[in-house]
Amino acid sequence: MDGCLHCVFTWQKACSIFHTQGWKHLRRSFSTEKVIHKDHSLPNPSWSKDLRLLFDQFMKKCEDGSWKHLPSSECKVPQRIHSFKTYFLDSKPVKEDQLSQARPFTRSYEVGQGFEYAMFYNEDEKRTVCLFQGGPYLEGPPGFLHGGALATMIDTTLGVCTISCMGLFMTANLNINFKSPIPLCSVVVISSQLDKVEGRKVFVSCNVRSVDEKTLHSDATDPVLVILYPYRMTFLHLILLFSLQR
Amino acid sequence: MDGCLHCVFTWQKACSIFHTQGWKHLRRSFSTEKVIHKDHSLPNPSWSKDLRLLFDQFMKKCEDGSWKHLPSSECKVPQRIHSFKTYFLDSKPVKEDQLSQARPFTRSYEVGQGFEYAMFYNEDEKRTVCLFQGGPYLEGPPGFLHGGALATMIDTTLGVCTISCMGLFMTANLNINFKSPIPLCSVVVISSQLDKVEGRKVFVSCNVRSVDEKTLHSDATDPVLVILYPYRMTFLHLILLFSLQR
């Protein structure tokens, strides 16, 4: 998950017993919690012409309100949330000094080296689009993007799509078909959408296409299953909410 | 794919028309091509006690020859191989200056920040084991490993397993079930094995367990499909072989 989701976690843990209802809540969290940092989803010098053009096209789509640009900021999640989360899932606790160095995976590289991307969300269509340029540090086969780097961005895009529509989640399954390798430093468009919801199971899918839409690089058409688990969070949310209100 | 696979690509492209027959060939490539660099799969100060203990256990298993430690070196693939590969797959060519900065994804971080791992291969059992410690820069949910980082290591381990047994490949499908989140900076064991071969299709699977083997973090039990494509490489291999022999 990326910086966006870090913000979502912060916001959700602090202000919601169950789950969010859209990005309006996320934006509100930025103002009330004073955790605004640099937005990494805005153009920078490493962005190629393709990525800039696509970004501008989607920003234009945002003008009528049908699409929304999703900011991606490195909000440092409070240490107590880390600890909560760690203990909450009955896992081995992580040392404090290790957690203090933690960075969201998709924002852990210097500008241009790794994951450069911007996301847009269409609430009516329950769709999220990620414009992604994989930098030179993400190499798999010589000259091409590592399959794991693409899987990372697919997971992140599906995650943002799910969290935008439904709230907190855990990815339960990721099923990716790799159709055509992606040249390093090129731009692809990852389009995801919510397919259906069955109880605590959410099914989302996506495809990855070249900028000219001629090449289908990859898809995750077998529904990707994610499970919402707010029911387990109720008590901890209440504690955290109380803690933050003091 | 990681540093190991970069070496394999170099070796295979230069010295084999079809595909390799095991790690003996890879090791030979190190001596004849003079591309030996630091082996990143050896213990370093960032390794936890768990990772060191597991590494020592597997190194002991190597003493009778049943298991082999697989080195992981950042061999810089010659630029012409990059270009070959780029054009070969009918993709948009990558700019030379961008390729010169390329780094294998799983070895692109400073020591301890990202992917710390060592791999071992059992030729008789067609199995590859990866001992993996995910550093603080691979964070997904607060305090936990990003699902994409785990997918990256699963893809890499399956890739090494396949290339060790069969030769060059492209991952065609990756189907991962996430069972339990992995705390950041903890160690897991990724065990992969070759299940079956059907023509150009290779089926490999794996599971990801905690060090004490009590927790199944993830698996890829639905066969993961990879396709060998040496038949398309014959002509280019010959050109490259000629080029290197001059």
Side-chain angles (χ1 to χ4, degrees):
Chain A
M1 287 167 231
D2 73 339
C4 290
L5 299 199
H6 269 256
C7 302
V8 179
F9 272 113
T10 311
W11 163 244
Q12 289 187 321
K13 281 182 160 52
C15 307
S16 166
I17 291 173
F18 293 104
H19 51 76
T20 58
Q21 293 167 31
W23 287 95
K24 287 175 192 170
H25 291 249
L26 175 60
R27 281 205 308 278
R28 198 187 308 161
S29 79
F30 288 150
S31 58
T32 56
E33 293 186 11
K34 295 180 183 174
V35 286
I36 298 175
H37 294 275
K38 182 186 172 189
D39 184 356
H40 295 277
S41 69
L42 297 176
N44 69 54
S46 78
W47 282 27
S48 66
K49 193 179 168 185
D50 282 344
L51 187 53
R52 284 170 187 272
L53 281 172
L54 272 174
F55 181 83
D56 290 344
Q57 285 172 16
F58 271 89
M59 286 305 276
K60 277 193 178 173
K61 290 183 183 178
C62 293
E63 287 172 5
D64 65 4
S66 58
W67 286 84
K68 290 189 175 92
H69 173 232
L70 304 180
S72 175
S73 307
E74 278 182 41
C75 313
K76 198 67 191 169
V77 179
Q79 214 59 56
R80 59 181 177 276
I81 292 185
H82 273 295
S83 304
F84 262 49
K85 185 89 181 166
T86 305
Y87 285 103
F88 164 62
L89 286 167
D90 306 325
S91 299
K92 198 176 168 183
V94 182
K95 288 178 187 169
E96 290 294 318
D97 62 329
Q98 290 173 325
L99 282 180
S100 66
Q101 300 170 41
R103 288 192 192 183
F105 183 33
T106 60
R107 295 299 184 194
S108 61
Y109 288 98
E110 297 300 313
V111 168
Q113 292 176 344
F115 301 93
E116 291 294 335
Y117 63 96
M119 291 205 196
F120 295 85
Y121 175 61
N122 186 313
E123 196 160 359
D124 292 338
E125 298 175 10
K126 306 292 184 201
R127 283 180 61 202
T128 299
V129 166
C130 174
L131 316 176
F132 169 50
Q133 175 184 300
Y137 282 31
L138 309 183
E139 189 180 50
F144 291 92
L145 191 76
H146 194 295
L150 180 60
T152 299
M153 284 313 302
I154 287 176
D155 184 30
T156 302
T157 307
L158 293 173
V160 169
C161 185
T162 305
I163 214 161
S164 301
C165 306
M166 302 300 298
L168 277 175
F169 71 99
M170 284 288 290
T171 304
N173 171 263
L174 198 58
N175 189 352
I176 303 172
N177 298 310
F178 296 96
K179 308 275 187 184
S180 169
I182 300 173
L184 214 55
C185 304
S186 65
V187 178
V188 292
V189 180
I190 306 173
S191 303
S192 70
Q193 62 182 36
L194 180 76
D195 292 333
K196 61 178 176 176
V197 181
E198 289 180 359
R200 289 172 52 238
K201 296 177 183 175
V202 181
F203 298 82
V204 282
S205 61
C206 82
N207 65 61
V208 183
R209 289 187 181 275
S210 56
V211 174
D212 61 11
E213 298 190 351
K214 287 180 182 170
T215 308
L216 175 64
H217 287 292
S218 178
D219 64 37
T221 48
D222 284 336
V224 174
L225 176 71
V226 291
I227 299 177
L228 300 175
Y229 54 94
Y231 75 100
R232 291 188 66 189
M233 287 205 152
T234 309
F235 180 61
L236 290 169
H237 266 119
L238 286 172
I239 296 173
L240 187 59
L241 187 59
F242 174 72
S243 168
L244 289 173
Q245 282 176 341
R246 279 193 298 184
Chain B
M1 288 167 230
D2 73 339
C4 290
L5 299 198
H6 269 254
C7 302
V8 180
F9 272 114
T10 311
W11 164 243
Q12 289 185 321
K13 281 182 161 53
C15 306
S16 165
I17 291 174
F18 292 103
H19 51 77
T20 58
Q21 294 166 28
W23 288 95
K24 287 175 191 170
H25 291 247
L26 175 60
R27 282 206 305 279
R28 197 188 307 161
S29 78
F30 287 150
S31 59
T32 56
E33 292 186 11
K34 294 180 182 173
V35 286
I36 298 175
H37 294 273
K38 181 186 171 188
D39 183 356
H40 295 276
S41 69
L42 297 175
N44 68 54
S46 78
W47 283 26
S48 65
K49 192 180 168 185
D50 282 345
L51 188 53
R52 285 171 186 271
L53 281 172
L54 272 173
F55 182 84
D56 290 343
Q57 284 172 17
F58 271 89
M59 286 305 276
K60 276 194 179 173
K61 290 183 182 178
C62 293
E63 288 173 4
D64 65 4
S66 58
W67 286 83
K68 289 190 176 89
H69 173 232
L70 305 179
S72 175
S73 307
E74 278 182 42
C75 313
K76 198 68 195 169
V77 180
Q79 214 59 58
R80 59 182 177 275
I81 292 184
H82 274 296
S83 306
F84 261 51
K85 184 91 182 166
T86 305
Y87 285 104
F88 163 63
L89 287 168
D90 306 325
S91 298
K92 198 175 168 183
V94 182
K95 289 177 185 169
E96 291 294 318
D97 61 329
Q98 290 173 326
L99 282 180
S100 66
Q101 300 169 41
R103 287 192 192 182
F105 183 32
T106 60
R107 294 301 184 194
S108 61
Y109 287 99
E110 297 300 314
V111 168
Q113 291 176 345
F115 302 92
E116 291 293 336
Y117 62 97
M119 292 204 195
F120 295 86
Y121 175 61
N122 186 314
E123 196 159 359
D124 293 337
E125 297 174 10
K126 307 292 184 201
R127 283 179 61 200
T128 299
V129 166
C130 174
L131 315 176
F132 170 48
Q133 175 183 300
Y137 282 31
L138 309 183
E139 189 181 51
F144 291 92
L145 193 75
H146 194 296
L150 180 59
T152 299
M153 283 313 302
I154 287 176
D155 185 31
T156 303
T157 306
L158 292 173
V160 169
C161 185
T162 305
I163 214 161
S164 301
C165 305
M166 303 300 298
L168 277 176
F169 71 98
M170 285 288 290
T171 304
N173 170 262
L174 198 58
N175 189 352
I176 302 172
N177 298 310
F178 296 97
K179 308 276 189 182
S180 169
I182 299 173
L184 214 55
C185 306
S186 65
V187 177
V188 292
V189 179
I190 306 173
S191 303
S192 70
Q193 63 182 36
L194 181 76
D195 291 333
K196 60 177 177 175
V197 181
E198 289 179 0
R200 289 171 53 241
K201 296 177 184 175
V202 181
F203 298 83
V204 282
S205 60
C206 82
N207 64 61
V208 182
R209 290 186 180 274
S210 56
V211 174
D212 60 10
E213 297 191 351
K214 288 180 182 170
T215 308
L216 175 64
H217 286 292
S218 179
D219 64 37
T221 47
D222 284 336
V224 174
L225 176 71
V226 290
I227 299 176
L228 300 174
Y229 53 94
Y231 75 100
R232 290 187 66 189
M233 286 205 154
T234 311
F235 178 63
L236 290 169
H237 266 120
L238 286 171
I239 296 173
L240 186 59
L241 186 59
F242 175 71
S243 168
L244 288 174
Q245 282 176 339
R246 278 194 300 183

